[in-house]
Short mmCIF file of all heavy atoms in Angstrom, two decimals:
data_model
loop_
_atom_site.label_atom_id
_atom_site.label_comp_id
_atom_site.label_asym_id
_atom_site.label_seq_id
_atom_site.Cartn_x
_atom_site.Cartn_y
_atom_site.Cartn_z
N ASN A 228 120.76 71.33 -145.29
CA ASN A 228 120.62 70.78 -146.66
C ASN A 228 119.92 71.80 -147.49
O ASN A 228 118.68 71.77 -147.71
CB ASN A 228 119.87 69.45 -146.66
CG ASN A 228 119.85 68.82 -148.01
OD1 ASN A 228 120.29 69.41 -149.02
ND2 ASN A 228 119.38 67.60 -148.08
N LEU A 229 120.69 72.77 -148.01
CA LEU A 229 120.16 73.90 -148.80
C LEU A 229 119.22 73.43 -149.89
O LEU A 229 118.16 73.98 -150.09
CB LEU A 229 121.30 74.75 -149.31
CG LEU A 229 120.95 75.92 -150.14
CD1 LEU A 229 120.23 77.01 -149.31
CD2 LEU A 229 122.15 76.57 -150.77
N ALA A 230 119.65 72.44 -150.64
CA ALA A 230 118.88 71.96 -151.79
C ALA A 230 117.46 71.49 -151.37
O ALA A 230 116.47 71.83 -152.03
CB ALA A 230 119.60 70.84 -152.54
N ARG A 231 117.41 70.73 -150.34
CA ARG A 231 116.08 70.22 -149.85
C ARG A 231 115.20 71.41 -149.43
O ARG A 231 114.00 71.45 -149.74
CB ARG A 231 116.27 69.26 -148.67
CG ARG A 231 115.07 68.78 -147.96
CD ARG A 231 113.95 68.12 -148.77
NE ARG A 231 114.37 67.14 -149.74
CZ ARG A 231 113.67 66.89 -150.82
NH1 ARG A 231 112.61 67.45 -151.10
NH2 ARG A 231 114.16 66.00 -151.67
N GLU A 232 115.76 72.39 -148.72
CA GLU A 232 115.03 73.52 -148.27
C GLU A 232 114.52 74.34 -149.46
O GLU A 232 113.40 74.85 -149.48
CB GLU A 232 115.84 74.41 -147.38
CG GLU A 232 116.34 73.75 -146.09
CD GLU A 232 115.17 73.47 -145.13
OE1 GLU A 232 114.12 74.15 -145.20
OE2 GLU A 232 115.31 72.56 -144.31
N VAL A 233 115.31 74.48 -150.53
CA VAL A 233 114.90 75.16 -151.74
C VAL A 233 113.70 74.46 -152.38
O VAL A 233 112.73 75.12 -152.77
CB VAL A 233 116.06 75.26 -152.76
CG1 VAL A 233 115.55 75.74 -154.11
CG2 VAL A 233 117.10 76.24 -152.21
N VAL A 234 113.74 73.19 -152.47
CA VAL A 234 112.62 72.41 -153.01
C VAL A 234 111.37 72.72 -152.23
O VAL A 234 110.31 73.01 -152.77
CB VAL A 234 112.93 70.92 -153.08
CG1 VAL A 234 111.68 70.11 -153.37
CG2 VAL A 234 113.94 70.60 -154.15
N LEU A 235 111.44 72.59 -150.88
CA LEU A 235 110.27 72.73 -150.08
C LEU A 235 109.71 74.17 -150.08
O LEU A 235 108.58 74.39 -149.87
CB LEU A 235 110.59 72.31 -148.65
CG LEU A 235 110.95 70.81 -148.49
CD1 LEU A 235 111.36 70.51 -147.08
CD2 LEU A 235 109.82 69.90 -148.92
N ALA A 236 110.56 75.17 -150.36
CA ALA A 236 110.13 76.61 -150.27
C ALA A 236 109.82 77.22 -151.60
O ALA A 236 109.35 78.34 -151.64
CB ALA A 236 111.29 77.40 -149.64
N THR A 237 109.96 76.49 -152.70
CA THR A 237 109.69 77.08 -154.00
C THR A 237 108.51 76.48 -154.77
O THR A 237 108.29 76.89 -155.93
CB THR A 237 110.95 77.01 -154.87
OG1 THR A 237 111.31 75.64 -155.03
CG2 THR A 237 112.08 77.87 -154.32
N GLY A 238 107.81 75.56 -154.19
CA GLY A 238 106.72 74.94 -154.88
C GLY A 238 107.12 73.84 -155.84
O GLY A 238 106.23 73.37 -156.57
N LEU A 239 108.37 73.44 -155.83
CA LEU A 239 108.71 72.29 -156.60
C LEU A 239 108.16 71.04 -155.89
O LEU A 239 107.86 71.09 -154.73
CB LEU A 239 110.28 72.15 -156.69
CG LEU A 239 110.93 73.32 -157.49
CD1 LEU A 239 112.43 73.22 -157.30
CD2 LEU A 239 110.57 73.22 -158.95
N PRO A 240 107.94 69.97 -156.63
CA PRO A 240 107.36 68.77 -156.05
C PRO A 240 108.22 68.30 -154.85
O PRO A 240 109.41 68.10 -154.92
CB PRO A 240 107.40 67.71 -157.15
CG PRO A 240 107.49 68.52 -158.38
CD PRO A 240 108.25 69.77 -158.11
N PRO A 241 107.57 68.08 -153.67
CA PRO A 241 108.39 67.65 -152.50
C PRO A 241 109.08 66.32 -152.66
O PRO A 241 110.06 66.02 -151.99
CB PRO A 241 107.27 67.50 -151.38
CG PRO A 241 106.12 68.23 -151.87
CD PRO A 241 106.15 68.27 -153.38
N SER A 242 108.64 65.56 -153.67
CA SER A 242 109.26 64.25 -153.93
C SER A 242 110.57 64.38 -154.78
O SER A 242 111.28 63.41 -154.97
CB SER A 242 108.36 63.31 -154.69
OG SER A 242 107.93 63.91 -155.88
N LEU A 243 110.86 65.59 -155.24
CA LEU A 243 112.06 65.83 -156.05
C LEU A 243 113.29 65.56 -155.26
O LEU A 243 113.57 66.14 -154.22
CB LEU A 243 112.04 67.32 -156.55
CG LEU A 243 113.22 67.77 -157.31
CD1 LEU A 243 113.26 67.05 -158.68
CD2 LEU A 243 113.19 69.26 -157.58
N PRO A 244 114.16 64.63 -155.78
CA PRO A 244 115.44 64.43 -155.08
C PRO A 244 116.29 65.64 -155.05
O PRO A 244 116.48 66.30 -156.07
CB PRO A 244 116.07 63.27 -155.86
CG PRO A 244 114.97 62.65 -156.63
CD PRO A 244 113.97 63.76 -156.91
N ALA A 245 116.85 65.97 -153.89
CA ALA A 245 117.67 67.22 -153.71
C ALA A 245 118.69 67.01 -152.67
O ALA A 245 118.39 66.48 -151.63
CB ALA A 245 116.76 68.39 -153.41
N TYR A 246 119.95 67.38 -152.97
CA TYR A 246 120.98 67.31 -151.98
C TYR A 246 121.97 68.43 -152.22
O TYR A 246 122.01 69.09 -153.22
CB TYR A 246 121.65 65.95 -151.98
CG TYR A 246 122.40 65.60 -153.29
CD1 TYR A 246 123.74 65.91 -153.44
CD2 TYR A 246 121.77 64.98 -154.30
CE1 TYR A 246 124.42 65.57 -154.58
CE2 TYR A 246 122.38 64.60 -155.46
CZ TYR A 246 123.75 64.92 -155.59
OH TYR A 246 124.42 64.59 -156.75
N THR A 247 122.80 68.67 -151.19
CA THR A 247 123.75 69.77 -151.20
C THR A 247 125.18 69.21 -151.12
O THR A 247 125.38 68.22 -150.39
CB THR A 247 123.51 70.68 -149.95
OG1 THR A 247 122.14 71.14 -149.99
CG2 THR A 247 124.46 71.86 -149.94
N VAL A 248 126.05 69.78 -151.85
CA VAL A 248 127.51 69.37 -151.87
C VAL A 248 128.37 70.45 -151.33
O VAL A 248 128.02 71.67 -151.38
CB VAL A 248 127.92 68.94 -153.31
CG1 VAL A 248 127.18 67.72 -153.77
CG2 VAL A 248 127.82 70.10 -154.28
N ASN A 249 129.54 70.10 -150.89
CA ASN A 249 130.50 71.10 -150.37
C ASN A 249 131.86 70.67 -150.86
O ASN A 249 132.38 69.62 -150.46
CB ASN A 249 130.51 71.09 -148.80
CG ASN A 249 131.52 72.08 -148.27
OD1 ASN A 249 132.68 72.14 -148.75
ND2 ASN A 249 131.16 72.86 -147.33
N ARG A 250 132.48 71.53 -151.69
CA ARG A 250 133.81 71.31 -152.20
C ARG A 250 134.57 72.59 -152.16
O ARG A 250 135.16 73.04 -153.16
CB ARG A 250 133.83 70.73 -153.62
CG ARG A 250 133.42 69.27 -153.62
CD ARG A 250 133.90 68.52 -154.79
NE ARG A 250 135.32 68.51 -154.94
CZ ARG A 250 135.89 68.19 -156.10
NH1 ARG A 250 135.15 67.89 -157.14
NH2 ARG A 250 137.19 68.15 -156.19
N ALA A 251 134.44 73.27 -151.04
CA ALA A 251 135.08 74.64 -150.85
C ALA A 251 134.64 75.52 -152.01
O ALA A 251 133.47 75.58 -152.26
CB ALA A 251 136.57 74.50 -150.69
N CYS A 252 135.59 76.11 -152.65
CA CYS A 252 135.24 77.11 -153.77
C CYS A 252 134.62 76.47 -154.96
O CYS A 252 134.17 77.14 -155.90
CB CYS A 252 136.44 77.93 -154.08
SG CYS A 252 137.03 78.96 -152.68
N ALA A 253 134.68 75.17 -155.09
CA ALA A 253 134.13 74.48 -156.29
C ALA A 253 132.78 73.86 -156.05
O ALA A 253 132.31 72.99 -156.83
CB ALA A 253 135.15 73.44 -156.72
N SER A 254 132.09 74.25 -155.00
CA SER A 254 130.82 73.65 -154.64
C SER A 254 129.77 73.73 -155.73
O SER A 254 129.12 72.76 -156.07
CB SER A 254 130.32 74.20 -153.30
OG SER A 254 131.23 73.91 -152.27
N ALA A 255 129.55 74.90 -156.25
CA ALA A 255 128.53 75.06 -157.35
C ALA A 255 128.92 74.33 -158.56
O ALA A 255 128.12 73.71 -159.23
CB ALA A 255 128.30 76.55 -157.64
N ASN A 256 130.26 74.32 -158.89
CA ASN A 256 130.74 73.55 -160.01
C ASN A 256 130.46 72.05 -159.82
O ASN A 256 130.11 71.37 -160.76
CB ASN A 256 132.20 73.81 -160.32
CG ASN A 256 132.48 75.20 -160.80
OD1 ASN A 256 131.58 75.88 -161.25
ND2 ASN A 256 133.66 75.63 -160.67
N GLN A 257 130.68 71.60 -158.59
CA GLN A 257 130.38 70.15 -158.31
C GLN A 257 128.88 69.87 -158.50
O GLN A 257 128.54 68.81 -159.00
CB GLN A 257 130.86 69.81 -156.89
CG GLN A 257 130.66 68.28 -156.62
CD GLN A 257 131.52 67.43 -157.50
OE1 GLN A 257 132.74 67.60 -157.51
NE2 GLN A 257 130.95 66.54 -158.18
N ALA A 258 128.06 70.76 -158.05
CA ALA A 258 126.59 70.63 -158.24
C ALA A 258 126.26 70.49 -159.75
O ALA A 258 125.47 69.60 -160.14
CB ALA A 258 125.81 71.79 -157.65
N ILE A 259 126.88 71.31 -160.58
CA ILE A 259 126.64 71.22 -162.01
C ILE A 259 127.09 69.89 -162.57
O ILE A 259 126.36 69.25 -163.32
CB ILE A 259 127.37 72.41 -162.72
CG1 ILE A 259 126.73 73.75 -162.27
CG2 ILE A 259 127.32 72.22 -164.23
CD1 ILE A 259 127.55 74.94 -162.68
N VAL A 260 128.31 69.42 -162.17
CA VAL A 260 128.79 68.14 -162.56
C VAL A 260 127.88 67.00 -162.16
O VAL A 260 127.59 66.09 -162.92
CB VAL A 260 130.24 67.94 -162.07
CG1 VAL A 260 130.70 66.48 -162.33
CG2 VAL A 260 131.17 68.91 -162.74
N ASP A 261 127.40 67.08 -160.93
CA ASP A 261 126.51 66.03 -160.43
C ASP A 261 125.21 65.91 -161.26
O ASP A 261 124.77 64.80 -161.63
CB ASP A 261 126.20 66.23 -158.96
CG ASP A 261 127.29 65.82 -158.04
OD1 ASP A 261 128.43 65.56 -158.49
OD2 ASP A 261 127.05 65.78 -156.82
#
């Protein structure tokens, strides 16, 4: 879960909701839409 690991490793509040999506080549675009 890349997003959760980023939160925990960057000093963002650990309570920050974070999740990772996979849509092949559109994964980052899906993250933006979400």
Side-chain angles (χ1 to χ4, degrees):
N228 185 353
L229 179 66
R231 171 58 42 210
E232 297 293 335
V233 166
V234 166
L235 297 174
T237 58
L239 293 171
S242 60
L243 177 65
Y246 64 91
T247 303
V248 295
N249 178 316
R250 285 203 59 200
C252 295
S254 297
N256 290 342
Q257 184 65 55
I259 295 166
V260 168
D261 283 10

